[in-house]
Amino acid sequence: MSLAFDDYGRPYIILREQGSKKRMKGLEAYKSNILAAKAIANTLSSSLGPKGMDKMLVSPDGDVSVTNDGATIVEKMEIQHPTAKLLVELSQSQDAEIGDGTTGVVVLAGKLLEQALTLLDKGIHPLKISDGFDRACDVAIKHLENISEEIDIQANEHEALIQAACTALGSKVVSKRKRELGKIAVTAVLDVADLGRKDVNLDLIKIQTKTGGSVEDTRLISGILIDKDMSHPQMVKEVNDAKICLLTCPFEPPKPKTKHNINISSAEDYKKLYLQEQQYFVDMVKLVKDSGANIALCQWGFDDEANHLLLQNNLPAVRWVSGTDVELIAMATGARIIPRFQEITPEKLGKAGSVKEVQFGTSNERMLVIENCQCTKAVTILIRGGSQMIVDEAKRSIHDAICVIRNLIKDNRIVYGGGSAELACAIQVLQYADEVSSVEQYAIRSFADALEGIPSCLADNCGLNPITSVAQAKARQLQENNHRIGIDCMELGTTDMKEQRIYETLSSKKQQIQLATQVVKMILKIDDVIAPDDY
Ligand code: ADP
């Protein structure tokens, strides 16, 4: 597309290959964008909440995943529509920043778009709608801060953190074991947390999955677990006071980088070459041994020849250690990653209390645990489960729980879930709407309606009547001046979310409302779509 001017200086647009382009303008563009984005939100809305449904997604090459995590669902849906892609990014940015609330943010954006569509039909200008939403969002955020409560993360053996983790896990496949998994997540985060700086380096928590056993067998290992074993079955199974040589070069003779041929014309030449190759191996093993290392971890594989020599020299070794593991081990043990054998020196070795091989269940599969690392404490959560699908979903769920706990360590304010916080904000936004005399008033009111959409969706997903449940909860919030009344999804007999202990982080809720509003505003500003015909 390019801009040109006619003889009178009037601008006009030239579209290349005009026949094959599609163009939508004005109201048609707004509506088409909104409908595309809403379709995504509608797909996710049945997954929201503790009784939300899971989705089964099959990739083009036949991999099946079953998940309830919003970010994963939209990512695997392979969405083509450009506006709908904005919602995918919305969910992903919530995932990147907060880690939890990825379904909620898309559902809220969908509700806002639904309202925007009605307002457009009424003839209200998109910019007025966008402005009204913006003002309403500020009011909602302010009110969220007012109703948030600080929790004592240390009290009662970190009970509040466990509850918050349980809320995040409650909607997932693993919800039956939410308390056990919640405790594991809390212990893992507290083990690596720097409470003084209120910071958690999530890289120090490794989540390792292994099919077999059941979800109950999931456990926390205080050390780094790697899914590898010693390179030779006769090597020692445990190295105490380990001095680790961390190599990113293969245990094999150097190979010419360019294409060269070696011509061997006599048996003697062959023998010479053989002996030289042998010498390479001997030298390599010697360099590692001389540095004082008592175990070598190698990112690459090694020849049988090298393996044999390592065994003969009593140097246990591990091959094919993954790149991420190499980095984590380096961070935790203080090892320098060594790219060439000539560079091995005693100072570059990492130190750990022990490196030992462990076996799980009755299978013959072994893993290595590196414990008591010298520099930082790193932990591993070993997730077990009957099938790959279950362990994958359990991994995503535990990741969400870990993020919630990390967020609470950074900022210990919570709001109550079950739609109560959204409902309280909706009431506040409605009150504010009455004070606005301009046309934005309608948009502000619609924003409140969209917020009410969350409790309504929660009620719908657990088989309650959404209209009655939300009306009752709203009336009680107003009568009792109690912002904690929400939807009793689990039918526990109380709608007070404090009694049900449904904790959500203030940071997540704030981010959800802000991000959803931003995306909707962005969609409302698009009034011209020019795309290839097949889009
Ligand atoms: P997300 O991916 O957005 O975290 P979830 O499917 O985990 O979505 O659902 C989160 C929503 O479910 C939140 O609004 C939360 O308040 C609500 N929720 C979670 N557990 C309960 C519960 N036991 N009772 C009522 N609401 C709950």
Side-chain angles (χ1 to χ4, degrees):
M1 188 180 86
S2 60
L3 189 68
F5 295 89
D6 66 9
D7 295 346
Y8 301 100
R10 287 176 305 202
Y12 61 92
I13 293 171
I14 303 172
L15 292 179
R16 248 190 313 130
E17 299 167 36
Q18 202 141 16
S20 64
K21 296 269 174 195
K22 202 168 57 180
R23 186 161 182 199
M24 266 186 294
K25 283 179 82 171
L27 205 56
E28 190 195 0
Y30 297 130
K31 286 196 175 174
S32 136
N33 285 338
I34 290 179
L35 287 174
K38 241 183 67 188
I40 306 295
N42 285 348
T43 320
L44 283 200
S45 63
S46 65
S47 292
L48 187 73
K51 294 208 176 155
M53 295 300 197
D54 296 341
K55 307 276 176 221
M56 180 182 264
L57 300 137
V58 185
S59 74
D61 47 6
D63 285 345
V64 180
S65 18
V66 175
T67 181
N68 178 281
D69 182 57
T72 315
I73 299 172
V74 289
E75 188 197 321
K76 299 206 173 195
M77 272 165 70
E78 293 188 8
I79 291 155
Q80 295 292 326
H81 195 285
T83 325
K85 273 189 189 157
L86 286 177
L87 286 212
V88 178
E89 279 166 26
L90 167 71
S91 188
Q92 281 164 354
S93 47
Q94 173 83 14
D95 197 31
E97 189 64 27
I98 302 288
D100 183 42
T102 50
T103 318
V105 70
V106 177
V107 175
L108 181 59
K111 300 281 172 202
L112 284 170
L113 288 169
E114 214 168 84
Q115 295 296 332
L117 206 57
T118 326
L119 293 170
L120 281 172
D121 282 341
K122 277 188 187 159
I124 299 177
H125 193 277
L127 286 183
K128 294 282 177 203
I129 304 175
S130 164
D131 203 25
F133 281 1
D134 209 19
R135 286 162 73 175
C137 174
D138 289 346
V139 174
I141 298 291
K142 223 187 227 154
H143 191 59
L144 266 185
E145 283 182 1
N146 288 341
I147 62 172
S148 67
E149 290 177 20
E150 286 196 8
I151 52 160
D152 182 356
I153 56 171
Q154 299 290 359
N156 221 345
E157 295 184 357
H158 314 292
E159 184 56 31
L161 291 184
I162 297 175
Q163 283 304 332
C166 285
T167 307
L169 293 168
S171 55
K172 312 287 195 253
V173 176
V174 293
S175 63
K176 258 198 149 169
R177 299 272 154 234
K178 63 180 178 188
R179 188 142 182 107
E180 290 92 325
L181 295 180
K183 271 188 185 166
I184 289 179
V186 169
T187 320
V189 176
L190 289 174
D191 271 356
V192 301
D194 182 346
L195 292 179
R197 276 178 48 231
K198 290 192 172 181
D199 197 18
V200 183
N201 182 357
L202 290 187
D203 289 342
L204 294 175
I205 303 178
K206 184 179 174 200
I207 304 183
Q208 177 76 48
T209 57
K210 188 94 192 152
T211 41
S214 66
V215 178
E216 287 103 273
D217 300 328
T218 298
R219 56 175 154 138
L220 181 69
I221 291 164
S222 65
I224 303 168
L225 185 77
I226 50 177
D227 193 2
K228 292 282 171 297
D229 52 3
M230 297 294 182
S231 63
H232 197 291
Q234 284 169 321
M235 282 175 180
V236 289
K237 303 280 175 246
E238 183 166 351
V239 179
N240 288 318
D241 197 10
K243 296 192 183 58
I244 302 167
C245 178
L246 202 54
L247 293 164
T248 51
C249 44
F251 257 101
E252 56 185 38
K255 287 197 181 105
K257 290 232 163 40
T258 44
K259 276 189 187 163
H260 289 297
N261 293 327
I262 301 174
N263 287 328
I264 300 167
S265 45
S266 65
E268 235 160 70
D269 280 356
Y270 178 75
K271 253 187 207 160
K272 253 195 222 159
L273 184 71
Y274 174 72
L275 285 176
Q276 200 182 354
E277 276 199 355
Q278 288 276 307
Q279 196 54 41
Y280 274 125
F281 287 123
V282 174
D283 289 349
M284 282 188 279
V285 176
K286 189 169 177 305
L287 281 170
V288 178
K289 279 283 287 194
D290 285 354
S291 68
N294 52 13
I295 181 163
L297 304 186
C298 185
Q299 196 180 0
W300 295 90
F302 25 87
D303 232 272
D304 286 347
E305 194 70 47
N307 207 7
H308 174 71
L309 269 177
L310 287 163
L311 176 70
Q312 257 189 354
N313 284 285
N314 285 331
L315 185 64
V318 184
R319 54 185 154 186
W320 300 122
V321 180
S322 74
T324 37
D325 282 344
V326 165
E327 279 171 26
L328 181 61
I329 295 167
M331 214 169 10
T333 63
R336 291 277 294 276
I337 300 173
I338 305 170
R340 270 182 293 274
F341 282 91
Q342 292 73 17
E343 291 183 18
I344 303 175
T345 55
E347 311 82 61
K348 290 184 180 164
L349 302 181
K351 295 187 183 65
S354 74
V355 179
K356 63 177 175 208
E357 226 178 59
V358 285
Q359 200 168 350
F360 294 98
T362 51
S363 66
N364 219 1
E365 290 180 61
R366 287 180 291 264
M367 287 181 160
L368 280 178
V369 187
I370 305 173
E371 280 175 323
N372 297 329
C373 303
Q374 152 188 267
C375 286
T376 45
K377 196 150 189 241
V379 293
T380 309
I381 299 177
L382 173 66
I383 300 177
R384 308 300 310 275
S387 70
Q388 192 60 39
M389 257 186 277
I390 293 190
V391 288
D392 285 348
E393 178 66 352
K395 183 176 179 178
R396 286 188 284 266
S397 314
I398 290 186
H399 169 261
D400 278 13
I402 287 175
C403 289
V404 168
I405 302 158
R406 188 237 2 220
N407 294 342
L408 278 177
I409 287 176
K410 281 187 165 173
D411 177 353
N412 65 345
R413 287 175 296 171
I414 55 145
V415 289
Y416 294 97
S420 63
E422 285 89 351
L423 212 48
C425 289
I427 294 172
Q428 193 67 22
V429 171
L430 268 185
Q431 276 174 12
Y432 170 70
D434 291 340
E435 296 164 19
V436 179
S437 56
S438 56
V439 70
E440 280 91 343
Q441 188 196 96
Y442 292 97
I444 297 173
R445 243 188 228 131
S446 301
F447 191 92
D449 288 344
L451 284 173
E452 278 181 24
I454 297 287
S456 152
C457 186
L458 285 173
D460 200 12
N461 287 349
C462 56
L464 298 170
N465 181 331
I467 301 176
T468 333
S469 315
V470 175
Q472 279 171 356
K474 199 169 161 187
R476 279 194 59 196
Q477 280 215 6
L478 282 165
Q479 280 158 12
E480 298 169 23
N481 197 12
N482 180 356
H483 59 81
R484 299 181 300 263
I485 305 291
I487 306 294
D488 178 16
C489 292
M490 305 308 282
E491 299 183 53
L492 297 178
T494 168
T495 48
D496 191 325
M497 292 298 134
K498 189 169 185 174
E499 283 172 26
Q500 286 208 18
R501 298 206 262 174
I502 309 295
Y503 298 166
E504 286 196 73
T505 58
L506 171 69
S507 50
S508 165
K509 220 26 26 129
K510 256 169 69 177
Q511 179 93 356
Q512 276 186 7
I513 298 181
Q514 278 168 335
L515 281 184
T517 314
Q518 261 175 28
V519 163
V520 172
K521 276 174 58 190
M522 193 192 276
I523 294 177
L524 282 173
K525 280 196 90 176
I526 305 169
D527 76 335
D528 205 342
V529 181
I530 302 161
D533 219 7
D534 49 359
Y535 234 83

